[in-house]
Amino acid sequence: MMAPFFKFGFFGDNLGLVVAFLVGIGFGFFLERAGFGSARKLAAQFYLTDLRVFKVMFTAIVTAMLGVYYLSVLGVMDLSLVYLTPTFLAPQMVGGLVLGVGFVVGGYCPGTACVGVATGRIDALVLFLGIFAGIVGFNEFYPMVSGFYNATEMGQLTLPQVTGLPYGLLVFAVVLMALGGFVGAEWVEKRMAARKAEG
Amino acid sequence: MEAKPAQPYWNPYVAGFGLGLVLLTAFVVMGRGLGASGAFASTITAGLNAVAPGHVAANPAYAEYLKEGTTPLKDWLVFEVLGVFVGGFLSGLLAHRVTRTVEKGPRISTRNRLIFAFIGGALMGIGAKLARGCTSGQALTGGALLNAGSWGFMIMVFVGAYAFAYVMRRQWT
């Protein structure tokens, strides 16, 4: 075992911040290349004319998931040292719903808004101010919502633990689901293009 | 303003593979994934702490972003998001896509689009706080780690967006 490098003490906090900056550059670069600096490209996902949000997200998830899985199977990486956000199922599902509505109303999510701002999108800049307002609003009313925010605490919980199925089998299932999704996405895009051509 | 025409975007599977490798690099090197909304929360806390430290310390929702002996801005996610700006700008510059513009459909005024952008952003901020992360930190990062709460979150993001898409159609189509 030697990865994650930082957790094995190969370098300190300050160099970690340099790594953060470099990783961020890669993150922003590929988000922009994917078309995610444009709210119209992102919103097209929800009108089924361009499903690149689904395609990019699930290609990235599958790539990283397979990488992490094989590195841990090969004994290179100690997966227990990778930070896992604890599960609070109810607030996380409601938060997802609210964020999803915000996505189609605003046209960006927080990460893609950064790319939008960097490439000159005024609407992304305004959305940015909205995010700040939303966070301040949430924090100011926190004493009233803290009960729900801390409800249904389940600790660090993975799908293999929830289902009792082997990790490798679930990895395989997600790959199959993504491939099926990609085939479906290509089919939907073709149908929508044909419908548009017919008028 | 760029005179040259914008280049086409990359094939989504190629861009997604690149994004996945960046995420994998973060896992291998740092033992943590990507994020965005946490950087917003740290920035707000740093700003507010400069003008009203008592108010920040009294509220656990802010106080969790405070750091002993240093600023909340000296944070992994803050530096990562600074990188996102630089990487996004570089990519846009190289492909001639850096333009001052407002992204919207043909049937909505610029003013109304900007109002919706603000409302959407506010919902994002609230949703990301409730969910303890956004599309980057929960869906992408937690998704790849098969985190149970992240998958619950991700499914609901798509449910919320598709459920509301019809209402918002004049803005985009």
Side-chain angles (χ1 to χ4, degrees), chain A residues 4-6 32-33 38 40 45 47 83 85 87 104-106 108-109 119 121-123 130 132 139-140 149 157 159 186, chain B residues 10 13 28-29 31 44 55 59 62 91 97 99 101 103-104 113 122 124 132 135 146-149 162 165 171-172:
Chain A
F5 302 151
F6 177 72
E32 205 285 332
R33 291 279 135 164
S38 157
R40 285 196 80 178
Q45 170 71 38
Y47 300 96
Y83 177 74
T85 310
T87 290
V104 79
V105 173
Y108 301 91
C109 59
T119 51
R121 270 60 182 179
I122 314 289
D123 48 324
F132 278 105
N139 287 358
E140 292 302 328
Y149 179 74
L157 186 69
L159 292 182
E186 299 296 335
Chain B
W10 275 6
Y13 300 113
V28 171
V29 178
I44 289 168
H55 184 71
N59 185 334
Y62 290 117
S91 169
R97 283 193 287 260
T99 327
T101 180
E103 294 275 343
K104 64 182 192 65
R113 164 70 189 117
M124 285 275 153
R132 295 168 167 79
T135 336
L146 301 185
N147 191 347
Y162 277 107
Q171 185 176 208
W172 301 116

CSV table of all heavy atoms in Angstrom, one decimal, chain A residues 4-6 32-33 38 40 45 47 83 85 87 104-106 108-109 119 121-123 130 132 139-140 149 157 159 186, chain B residues 10 13 28-29 31 44 55 59 62 91 97 99 101 103-104 113 122 124 132 135 146-149 162 165 171-172:
chain,number,residue,atom,x,y,z
A,4,PRO,N,-3.6,6.4,-0.8
A,4,PRO,CA,-3.3,7.8,-1.2
A,4,PRO,C,-2.0,8.4,-0.6
A,4,PRO,O,-1.8,8.2,0.6
A,4,PRO,CB,-4.5,8.6,-0.6
A,4,PRO,CG,-5.4,7.6,0.0
A,4,PRO,CD,-4.7,6.3,0.1
A,5,PHE,N,-1.2,9.0,-1.5
A,5,PHE,CA,0.1,9.4,-1.1
A,5,PHE,C,0.1,10.4,0.1
A,5,PHE,O,0.9,10.3,1.0
A,5,PHE,CB,0.8,10.2,-2.3
A,5,PHE,CG,0.9,9.3,-3.5
A,5,PHE,CD1,0.9,9.9,-4.8
A,5,PHE,CD2,1.1,7.9,-3.4
A,5,PHE,CE1,1.1,9.1,-5.9
A,5,PHE,CE2,1.2,7.1,-4.5
A,5,PHE,CZ,1.2,7.7,-5.8
A,6,PHE,N,-0.8,11.3,0.1
A,6,PHE,CA,-0.9,12.3,1.2
A,6,PHE,C,-1.2,11.7,2.5
A,6,PHE,O,-0.5,12.0,3.5
A,6,PHE,CB,-2.0,13.3,0.8
A,6,PHE,CG,-2.3,14.4,1.9
A,6,PHE,CD1,-1.3,15.4,2.1
A,6,PHE,CD2,-3.4,14.3,2.7
A,6,PHE,CE1,-1.5,16.4,3.1
A,6,PHE,CE2,-3.6,15.3,3.7
A,6,PHE,CZ,-2.7,16.3,3.9
A,32,GLU,N,-14.7,22.5,-19.2
A,32,GLU,CA,-14.9,23.5,-20.3
A,32,GLU,C,-14.9,22.7,-21.7
A,32,GLU,O,-15.7,23.0,-22.5
A,32,GLU,CB,-13.8,24.6,-20.3
A,32,GLU,CG,-14.2,25.9,-21.0
A,32,GLU,CD,-14.2,25.8,-22.5
A,32,GLU,OE1,-13.4,25.0,-23.1
A,32,GLU,OE2,-15.0,26.6,-23.1
A,33,ARG,N,-14.0,21.8,-21.8
A,33,ARG,CA,-13.9,21.0,-23.1
A,33,ARG,C,-15.2,20.3,-23.3
A,33,ARG,O,-15.6,20.0,-24.5
A,33,ARG,CB,-12.8,20.0,-23.0
A,33,ARG,CG,-11.4,20.6,-23.0
A,33,ARG,CD,-11.0,21.0,-24.4
A,33,ARG,NE,-10.4,22.3,-24.4
A,33,ARG,CZ,-9.7,22.8,-25.5
A,33,ARG,NH1,-9.4,22.0,-26.5
A,33,ARG,NH2,-9.2,24.0,-25.4
A,38,SER,N,-21.2,26.4,-20.7
A,38,SER,CA,-22.4,27.0,-21.4
A,38,SER,C,-23.7,26.5,-20.7
A,38,SER,O,-23.9,25.3,-20.8
A,38,SER,CB,-22.3,26.7,-22.9
A,38,SER,OG,-23.6,26.7,-23.4
A,40,ARG,N,-26.6,26.8,-21.8
A,40,ARG,CA,-27.6,26.2,-22.8
A,40,ARG,C,-27.2,24.7,-23.1
A,40,ARG,O,-28.1,23.9,-23.3
A,40,ARG,CB,-27.5,27.0,-24.1
A,40,ARG,CG,-28.2,28.3,-24.1
A,40,ARG,CD,-28.5,28.8,-25.4
A,40,ARG,NE,-29.6,28.2,-26.1
A,40,ARG,CZ,-30.1,28.6,-27.3
A,40,ARG,NH1,-29.5,29.5,-28.0
A,40,ARG,NH2,-31.1,28.0,-27.8
A,45,GLN,N,-29.6,18.9,-21.6
A,45,GLN,CA,-29.8,17.6,-21.0
A,45,GLN,C,-31.3,17.4,-20.6
A,45,GLN,O,-31.8,16.3,-20.8
A,45,GLN,CB,-28.9,17.5,-19.8
A,45,GLN,CG,-29.2,16.2,-18.9
A,45,GLN,CD,-28.7,15.0,-19.6
A,45,GLN,OE1,-27.7,14.9,-20.2
A,45,GLN,NE2,-29.5,13.9,-19.4
A,47,TYR,N,-34.0,18.8,-21.8
A,47,TYR,CA,-34.9,18.8,-22.9
A,47,TYR,C,-34.6,17.7,-23.9
A,47,TYR,O,-35.1,17.8,-25.1
A,47,TYR,CB,-34.9,20.2,-23.5
A,47,TYR,CG,-35.3,21.2,-22.4
A,47,TYR,CD1,-34.4,21.9,-21.7
A,47,TYR,CD2,-36.7,21.4,-22.1
A,47,TYR,CE1,-34.8,22.8,-20.7
A,47,TYR,CE2,-37.1,22.2,-21.1
A,47,TYR,CZ,-36.1,22.9,-20.4
A,47,TYR,OH,-36.5,23.7,-19.3
A,83,TYR,N,-11.4,9.8,1.7
A,83,TYR,CA,-12.5,10.4,2.5
A,83,TYR,C,-13.9,10.1,1.9
A,83,TYR,O,-14.1,10.4,0.7
A,83,TYR,CB,-12.3,11.9,2.6
A,83,TYR,CG,-13.5,12.6,3.3
A,83,TYR,CD1,-13.6,12.5,4.7
A,83,TYR,CD2,-14.4,13.3,2.6
A,83,TYR,CE1,-14.7,13.1,5.3
A,83,TYR,CE2,-15.5,13.9,3.2
A,83,TYR,CZ,-15.6,13.8,4.6
A,83,TYR,OH,-16.7,14.4,5.3
A,85,THR,N,-17.9,11.2,2.4
A,85,THR,CA,-18.9,12.0,3.1
A,85,THR,C,-19.9,11.1,3.8
A,85,THR,O,-20.4,10.2,3.2
A,85,THR,CB,-19.6,12.9,2.1
A,85,THR,OG1,-18.6,13.6,1.2
A,85,THR,CG2,-20.4,13.9,2.8
A,87,THR,N,-23.2,9.6,5.2
A,87,THR,CA,-24.6,9.6,4.7
A,87,THR,C,-25.6,10.1,5.7
A,87,THR,O,-25.7,9.6,6.8
A,87,THR,CB,-24.9,8.2,4.2
A,87,THR,OG1,-24.1,7.9,3.0
A,87,THR,CG2,-26.4,8.1,3.8
A,104,VAL,N,-32.0,23.4,-13.3
A,104,VAL,CA,-32.7,23.8,-14.5
A,104,VAL,C,-33.2,25.2,-14.5
A,104,VAL,O,-33.4,25.8,-15.6
A,104,VAL,CB,-33.9,22.7,-14.8
A,104,VAL,CG1,-35.1,23.0,-13.9
A,104,VAL,CG2,-34.3,22.7,-16.2
A,105,VAL,N,-33.4,25.8,-13.3
A,105,VAL,CA,-33.7,27.2,-13.2
A,105,VAL,C,-32.5,28.1,-13.5
A,105,VAL,O,-32.6,29.1,-14.3
A,105,VAL,CB,-34.3,27.6,-11.8
A,105,VAL,CG1,-34.5,29.1,-11.7
A,105,VAL,CG2,-35.6,26.8,-11.6
A,106,GLY,N,-31.4,27.7,-13.0
A,106,GLY,CA,-30.2,28.6,-13.1
A,106,GLY,C,-29.3,28.2,-14.3
A,106,GLY,O,-28.6,29.1,-14.8
A,108,TYR,N,-26.6,26.2,-14.4
A,108,TYR,CA,-25.3,25.7,-14.0
A,108,TYR,C,-25.4,25.1,-12.6
A,108,TYR,O,-26.3,25.3,-11.9
A,108,TYR,CB,-24.2,26.9,-13.9
A,108,TYR,CG,-24.0,27.7,-15.1
A,108,TYR,CD1,-24.8,28.9,-15.3
A,108,TYR,CD2,-23.0,27.4,-16.0
A,108,TYR,CE1,-24.6,29.7,-16.4
A,108,TYR,CE2,-22.8,28.2,-17.1
A,108,TYR,CZ,-23.6,29.4,-17.3
A,108,TYR,OH,-23.4,30.1,-18.4
A,109,CYS,N,-24.4,24.2,-12.3
A,109,CYS,CA,-24.2,23.8,-10.9
A,109,CYS,C,-23.0,24.6,-10.4
A,109,CYS,O,-22.3,25.3,-11.2
A,109,CYS,CB,-24.0,22.3,-10.8
A,109,CYS,SG,-22.6,21.7,-11.7
A,119,THR,N,-15.1,31.9,-18.5
A,119,THR,CA,-15.2,32.1,-19.9
A,119,THR,C,-16.1,33.3,-20.3
A,119,THR,O,-16.6,33.3,-21.4
A,119,THR,CB,-15.5,30.8,-20.6
A,119,THR,OG1,-16.7,30.3,-20.0
A,119,THR,CG2,-14.4,29.8,-20.5
A,121,ARG,N,-19.3,34.3,-19.0
A,121,ARG,CA,-20.7,34.2,-19.0
A,121,ARG,C,-21.3,35.1,-17.8
A,121,ARG,O,-21.1,34.7,-16.7
A,121,ARG,CB,-21.2,32.8,-18.8
A,121,ARG,CG,-21.4,32.0,-20.1
A,121,ARG,CD,-20.2,31.9,-21.0
A,121,ARG,NE,-20.4,31.3,-22.3
A,121,ARG,CZ,-19.5,31.1,-23.2
A,121,ARG,NH1,-18.3,31.6,-23.0
A,121,ARG,NH2,-19.8,30.5,-24.3
A,122,ILE,N,-22.0,36.1,-18.2
A,122,ILE,CA,-22.6,37.0,-17.2
A,122,ILE,C,-23.6,36.3,-16.3
A,122,ILE,O,-23.7,36.5,-15.1
A,122,ILE,CB,-23.3,38.2,-17.9
A,122,ILE,CG1,-22.4,38.8,-19.0
A,122,ILE,CG2,-23.7,39.3,-16.8
A,122,ILE,CD1,-21.2,39.5,-18.5
A,123,ASP,N,-24.4,35.4,-17.0
A,123,ASP,CA,-25.4,34.7,-16.2
A,123,ASP,C,-24.8,33.8,-15.2
A,123,ASP,O,-25.4,33.6,-14.1
A,123,ASP,CB,-26.3,33.8,-17.1
A,123,ASP,CG,-25.6,33.0,-18.1
A,123,ASP,OD1,-24.5,33.5,-18.6
A,123,ASP,OD2,-26.0,31.9,-18.5
A,130,GLY,N,-26.1,34.3,-6.5
A,130,GLY,CA,-27.3,33.5,-5.9
A,130,GLY,C,-26.8,32.4,-5.0
A,130,GLY,O,-27.4,32.2,-3.9
A,132,PHE,N,-24.1,32.4,-3.2
A,132,PHE,CA,-23.7,33.0,-2.0
A,132,PHE,C,-24.9,33.4,-1.1
A,132,PHE,O,-24.9,33.1,0.1
A,132,PHE,CB,-22.9,34.3,-2.3
A,132,PHE,CG,-21.4,34.1,-2.6
A,132,PHE,CD1,-21.0,34.2,-3.9
A,132,PHE,CD2,-20.5,33.8,-1.6
A,132,PHE,CE1,-19.6,34.0,-4.2
A,132,PHE,CE2,-19.2,33.6,-1.9
A,132,PHE,CZ,-18.7,33.7,-3.2
A,139,ASN,N,-27.4,29.3,6.3
A,139,ASN,CA,-26.6,29.4,7.6
A,139,ASN,C,-27.4,30.3,8.6
A,139,ASN,O,-27.4,29.9,9.8
A,139,ASN,CB,-25.2,30.0,7.3
A,139,ASN,CG,-24.3,28.9,6.6
A,139,ASN,OD1,-24.7,27.8,6.4
A,139,ASN,ND2,-23.1,29.3,6.3
A,140,GLU,N,-28.0,31.4,8.1
A,140,GLU,CA,-28.6,32.2,9.1
A,140,GLU,C,-29.9,31.5,9.7
A,140,GLU,O,-30.2,31.8,10.8
A,140,GLU,CB,-29.1,33.5,8.4
A,140,GLU,CG,-27.9,34.4,8.0
A,140,GLU,CD,-27.0,34.9,9.1
A,140,GLU,OE1,-27.5,35.0,10.3
A,140,GLU,OE2,-25.8,35.0,8.9
A,149,TYR,N,-31.4,18.7,9.1
A,149,TYR,CA,-30.0,18.6,8.5
A,149,TYR,C,-29.3,17.4,9.1
A,149,TYR,O,-28.5,16.7,8.4
A,149,TYR,CB,-29.3,19.9,8.8
A,149,TYR,CG,-27.9,19.9,8.3
A,149,TYR,CD1,-27.6,20.0,6.9
A,149,TYR,CD2,-26.8,19.9,9.2
A,149,TYR,CE1,-26.3,20.1,6.4
A,149,TYR,CE2,-25.5,19.9,8.7
A,149,TYR,CZ,-25.2,20.0,7.4
A,149,TYR,OH,-23.9,20.1,6.9
A,157,LEU,N,-21.2,5.1,4.6
A,157,LEU,CA,-22.0,3.9,4.1
A,157,LEU,C,-21.9,3.8,2.6
A,157,LEU,O,-22.1,4.7,1.9
A,157,LEU,CB,-23.5,4.2,4.5
A,157,LEU,CG,-24.5,3.1,4.2
A,157,LEU,CD1,-24.2,1.9,5.2
A,157,LEU,CD2,-25.9,3.6,4.5
A,159,LEU,N,-22.6,1.5,-1.1
A,159,LEU,CA,-23.6,0.6,-1.7
A,159,LEU,C,-23.3,-0.9,-1.4
A,159,LEU,O,-24.3,-1.6,-1.1
A,159,LEU,CB,-23.7,0.9,-3.2
A,159,LEU,CG,-24.3,2.3,-3.5
A,159,LEU,CD1,-24.5,2.4,-5.0
A,159,LEU,CD2,-25.7,2.5,-2.9
A,186,GLU,N,-27.8,7.9,-26.9
A,186,GLU,CA,-27.6,8.1,-28.4
A,186,GLU,C,-28.9,7.9,-29.1
A,186,GLU,O,-29.2,8.7,-30.1
A,186,GLU,CB,-26.5,7.0,-28.9
A,186,GLU,CG,-25.1,7.1,-28.2
A,186,GLU,CD,-24.4,8.4,-28.5
A,186,GLU,OE1,-24.7,9.1,-29.5
A,186,GLU,OE2,-23.6,8.8,-27.7
B,10,TRP,N,-15.4,19.0,-27.2
B,10,TRP,CA,-14.9,17.6,-27.4
B,10,TRP,C,-16.1,16.6,-27.4
B,10,TRP,O,-17.2,16.8,-26.8
B,10,TRP,CB,-14.0,17.3,-26.3
B,10,TRP,CG,-12.6,17.7,-26.5
B,10,TRP,CD1,-12.1,18.5,-27.6
B,10,TRP,CD2,-11.4,17.5,-25.7
B,10,TRP,NE1,-10.8,18.7,-27.4
B,10,TRP,CE2,-10.3,18.1,-26.3
B,10,TRP,CE3,-11.2,16.8,-24.5
B,10,TRP,CZ2,-9.0,18.1,-25.8
B,10,TRP,CZ3,-9.9,16.8,-24.0
B,10,TRP,CH2,-8.9,17.4,-24.6
B,13,TYR,N,-17.6,11.6,-24.4
B,13,TYR,CA,-17.0,10.4,-23.7
B,13,TYR,C,-15.5,10.7,-23.5
B,13,TYR,O,-14.9,10.2,-22.5
B,13,TYR,CB,-17.2,9.2,-24.6
B,13,TYR,CG,-18.6,8.8,-24.8
B,13,TYR,CD1,-19.2,8.9,-26.1
B,13,TYR,CD2,-19.4,8.5,-23.7
B,13,TYR,CE1,-20.6,8.6,-26.3
B,13,TYR,CE2,-20.8,8.2,-23.9
B,13,TYR,CZ,-21.3,8.2,-25.2
B,13,TYR,OH,-22.7,8.0,-25.3
B,28,VAL,N,-5.9,9.2,-5.7
B,28,VAL,CA,-4.6,8.5,-5.5
B,28,VAL,C,-3.6,9.4,-4.7
B,28,VAL,O,-2.9,9.0,-3.8
B,28,VAL,CB,-4.0,8.1,-6.8
B,28,VAL,CG1,-2.6,7.5,-6.6
B,28,VAL,CG2,-4.9,7.0,-7.4
B,29,VAL,N,-3.6,10.7,-5.1
B,29,VAL,CA,-2.6,11.6,-4.5
B,29,VAL,C,-3.0,12.1,-3.2
B,29,VAL,O,-2.2,12.1,-2.2
B,29,VAL,CB,-2.2,12.7,-5.5
B,29,VAL,CG1,-1.2,13.7,-4.9
B,29,VAL,CG2,-1.7,12.2,-6.8
B,31,GLY,N,-6.2,11.3,-1.5
B,31,GLY,CA,-7.2,10.5,-0.7
B,31,GLY,C,-8.5,11.2,-0.5
B,31,GLY,O,-9.3,11.0,0.4
B,44,ILE,N,-17.3,32.6,2.0
B,44,ILE,CA,-18.3,33.3,2.8
B,44,ILE,C,-17.9,33.5,4.3
B,44,ILE,O,-17.9,34.6,4.8
B,44,ILE,CB,-19.7,32.7,2.7
B,44,ILE,CG1,-20.3,32.8,1.3
B,44,ILE,CG2,-20.7,33.2,3.7
B,44,ILE,CD1,-21.5,32.0,1.0
B,55,HIS,N,-20.5,36.8,15.3
B,55,HIS,CA,-21.6,36.2,14.6
B,55,HIS,C,-21.2,34.8,14.0
B,55,HIS,O,-22.0,33.9,14.1
B,55,HIS,CB,-22.1,37.1,13.5
B,55,HIS,CG,-23.3,36.7,12.8
B,55,HIS,ND1,-24.6,36.7,13.4
B,55,HIS,CD2,-23.5,36.2,11.6
B,55,HIS,CE1,-25.5,36.2,12.6
B,55,HIS,NE2,-24.9,35.9,11.4
B,59,ASN,N,-22.5,30.6,15.3
B,59,ASN,CA,-23.3,29.8,14.4
B,59,ASN,C,-22.6,28.6,13.9
B,59,ASN,O,-21.6,28.7,13.2
B,59,ASN,CB,-23.8,30.6,13.3
B,59,ASN,CG,-24.8,29.9,12.4
B,59,ASN,OD1,-24.8,28.7,12.3
B,59,ASN,ND2,-25.7,30.7,11.7
B,62,TYR,N,-21.5,28.3,10.2
B,62,TYR,CA,-20.3,29.0,9.7
B,62,TYR,C,-19.1,28.4,10.4
B,62,TYR,O,-18.0,28.2,9.8
B,62,TYR,CB,-20.4,30.5,10.1
B,62,TYR,CG,-21.4,31.3,9.3
B,62,TYR,CD1,-22.5,31.9,10.0
B,62,TYR,CD2,-21.3,31.5,8.0
B,62,TYR,CE1,-23.4,32.6,9.3
B,62,TYR,CE2,-22.2,32.2,7.3
B,62,TYR,CZ,-23.3,32.8,7.9
B,62,TYR,OH,-24.2,33.5,7.3
B,91,SER,N,-8.7,26.5,-21.2
B,91,SER,CA,-9.4,25.7,-22.2
B,91,SER,C,-10.2,26.6,-23.1
B,91,SER,O,-10.2,26.4,-24.3
B,91,SER,CB,-10.3,24.7,-21.5
B,91,SER,OG,-11.1,24.1,-22.4
B,97,ARG,N,-13.4,30.3,-27.0
B,97,ARG,CA,-14.7,30.3,-26.5
B,97,ARG,C,-14.9,31.3,-25.3
B,97,ARG,O,-15.9,31.3,-24.7
B,97,ARG,CB,-15.1,28.9,-25.9
B,97,ARG,CG,-15.4,27.9,-27.0
B,97,ARG,CD,-16.1,26.7,-26.5
B,97,ARG,NE,-15.1,25.8,-25.8
B,97,ARG,CZ,-14.6,24.8,-26.3
B,97,ARG,NH1,-14.9,24.4,-27.6
B,97,ARG,NH2,-13.7,24.0,-25.7
B,99,THR,N,-16.0,34.6,-24.2
B,99,THR,CA,-16.8,35.6,-24.8
B,99,THR,C,-17.7,36.2,-23.7
B,99,THR,O,-18.3,35.4,-22.9
B,99,THR,CB,-17.8,35.1,-25.9
B,99,THR,OG1,-17.2,34.0,-26.5
B,99,THR,CG2,-18.2,36.2,-26.8
B,101,THR,N,-20.9,37.1,-22.7
B,101,THR,CA,-22.3,36.8,-23.2
B,101,THR,C,-23.2,36.3,-22.1
B,101,THR,O,-22.7,36.0,-21.0
B,101,THR,CB,-22.2,35.8,-24.3
B,101,THR,OG1,-23.5,35.6,-24.8
B,101,THR,CG2,-21.6,34.5,-23.9
B,103,GLU,N,-26.0,33.3,-21.5
B,103,GLU,CA,-26.5,32.0,-22.1
B,103,GLU,C,-28.0,32.0,-21.8
B,103,GLU,O,-28.4,31.9,-20.7
B,103,GLU,CB,-25.8,30.9,-21.4
B,103,GLU,CG,-24.3,30.8,-21.7
B,103,GLU,CD,-24.0,30.0,-23.0
B,103,GLU,OE1,-24.9,29.3,-23.5
B,103,GLU,OE2,-22.9,30.1,-23.5
B,104,LYS,N,-28.7,31.9,-22.9
B,104,LYS,CA,-30.2,31.8,-22.8
B,104,LYS,C,-30.8,31.3,-24.1
B,104,LYS,O,-30.2,31.4,-25.1
B,104,LYS,CB,-30.8,33.1,-22.3
B,104,LYS,CG,-30.6,34.2,-23.4
B,104,LYS,CD,-31.2,35.5,-22.9
B,104,LYS,CE,-31.3,36.5,-24.0
B,104,LYS,NZ,-32.3,36.2,-25.0
B,113,ARG,N,-33.6,36.2,-17.7
B,113,ARG,CA,-32.7,35.2,-17.6
B,113,ARG,C,-31.8,35.4,-16.4
B,113,ARG,O,-31.5,34.4,-15.6
B,113,ARG,CB,-31.8,35.1,-18.9
B,113,ARG,CG,-30.5,34.3,-18.8
B,113,ARG,CD,-30.8,32.8,-18.6
B,113,ARG,NE,-29.5,32.1,-18.3
B,113,ARG,CZ,-29.3,31.4,-17.2
B,113,ARG,NH1,-30.2,31.3,-16.3
B,113,ARG,NH2,-28.1,30.8,-17.0
B,122,ALA,N,-29.4,30.5,-5.8
B,122,ALA,CA,-29.8,30.5,-4.4
B,122,ALA,C,-30.3,29.0,-4.0
B,122,ALA,O,-30.0,28.5,-3.0
B,122,ALA,CB,-30.9,31.5,-4.1
B,124,MET,N,-29.4,26.3,-5.5
B,124,MET,CA,-28.1,25.5,-5.5
B,124,MET,C,-27.5,25.6,-4.2
B,124,MET,O,-27.0,24.6,-3.6
B,124,MET,CB,-27.1,26.1,-6.5
B,124,MET,CG,-27.4,25.9,-7.9
B,124,MET,SD,-26.7,24.3,-8.3
B,124,MET,CE,-27.8,24.0,-9.7
B,132,ARG,N,-24.7,18.4,1.9
B,132,ARG,CA,-23.3,18.3,2.3
B,132,ARG,C,-22.4,18.2,1.1
B,132,ARG,O,-21.4,17.5,1.1
B,132,ARG,CB,-23.1,17.2,3.3
B,132,ARG,CG,-23.8,17.3,4.6
B,132,ARG,CD,-23.7,16.0,5.4
B,132,ARG,NE,-24.1,16.3,6.8
B,132,ARG,CZ,-25.4,16.4,7.2
B,132,ARG,NH1,-26.3,16.4,6.4
B,132,ARG,NH2,-25.6,16.6,8.5
B,135,THR,N,-22.8,18.8,-7.1
B,135,THR,CA,-22.7,17.9,-8.2
B,135,THR,C,-21.2,17.3,-8.2
B,135,THR,O,-21.1,16.1,-8.5
B,135,THR,CB,-23.0,18.6,-9.6
B,135,THR,OG1,-23.8,19.7,-9.3
B,135,THR,CG2,-23.6,17.6,-10.5
B,146,LEU,N,-19.1,4.8,-4.8
B,146,LEU,CA,-20.3,4.0,-4.4
B,146,LEU,C,-20.8,4.4,-3.0
B,146,LEU,O,-21.2,3.6,-2.3
B,146,LEU,CB,-20.0,2.5,-4.5
B,146,LEU,CG,-19.6,2.0,-5.9
B,146,LEU,CD1,-19.5,0.5,-5.8
B,146,LEU,CD2,-20.5,2.4,-7.0
B,147,ASN,N,-20.7,5.7,-2.7
B,147,ASN,CA,-21.2,6.3,-1.5
B,147,ASN,C,-22.7,6.2,-1.5
B,147,ASN,O,-23.3,6.8,-2.5
B,147,ASN,CB,-20.6,7.7,-1.3
B,147,ASN,CG,-20.9,8.2,0.1
B,147,ASN,OD1,-21.7,7.6,0.9
B,147,ASN,ND2,-20.2,9.3,0.5
B,148,ALA,N,-23.4,5.6,-0.5
B,148,ALA,CA,-24.8,5.5,-0.6
B,148,ALA,C,-25.6,6.8,-0.6
B,148,ALA,O,-26.4,7.0,-1.5
B,148,ALA,CB,-25.3,4.7,0.7
B,149,GLY,N,-25.2,7.8,0.2
B,149,GLY,CA,-25.9,9.0,0.2
B,149,GLY,C,-25.7,9.8,-1.1
B,149,GLY,O,-26.6,10.5,-1.5
B,162,TYR,N,-35.6,17.2,-14.1
B,162,TYR,CA,-36.6,16.8,-15.1
B,162,TYR,C,-38.0,17.2,-14.7
B,162,TYR,O,-38.8,17.6,-15.5
B,162,TYR,CB,-36.5,15.3,-15.4
B,162,TYR,CG,-35.4,15.0,-16.3
B,162,TYR,CD1,-34.2,14.4,-15.9
B,162,TYR,CD2,-35.5,15.3,-17.7
B,162,TYR,CE1,-33.2,14.1,-16.8
B,162,TYR,CE2,-34.5,15.0,-18.6
B,162,TYR,CZ,-33.3,14.4,-18.1
B,162,TYR,OH,-32.3,14.1,-19.0
B,165,ALA,N,-38.3,20.9,-15.6
B,165,ALA,CA,-37.9,21.3,-16.9
B,165,ALA,C,-39.0,21.9,-17.7
B,165,ALA,O,-38.8,22.9,-18.4
B,165,ALA,CB,-37.2,20.1,-17.7
B,171,GLN,N,-37.3,29.4,-20.9
B,171,GLN,CA,-35.9,30.0,-20.7
B,171,GLN,C,-34.9,29.4,-21.7
B,171,GLN,O,-33.9,30.0,-22.0
B,171,GLN,CB,-35.5,29.8,-19.3
B,171,GLN,CG,-34.2,30.5,-18.9
B,171,GLN,CD,-33.8,30.4,-17.5
B,171,GLN,OE1,-33.1,31.2,-17.0
B,171,GLN,NE2,-34.2,29.3,-16.8
B,172,TRP,N,-35.1,28.2,-22.1
B,172,TRP,CA,-34.0,27.4,-22.7
B,172,TRP,C,-34.3,27.0,-24.2
B,172,TRP,O,-33.4,26.8,-25.0
B,172,TRP,CB,-33.7,26.1,-22.0
B,172,TRP,CG,-33.3,26.4,-20.6
B,172,TRP,CD1,-33.9,26.0,-19.4
B,172,TRP,CD2,-32.1,27.1,-20.1
B,172,TRP,NE1,-33.2,26.5,-18.3
B,172,TRP,CE2,-32.1,27.1,-18.7
B,172,TRP,CE3,-31.0,27.8,-20.8
B,172,TRP,CZ2,-31.1,27.8,-18.0
B,172,TRP,CZ3,-30.0,28.4,-20.1
B,172,TRP,CH2,-30.1,28.4,-18.7
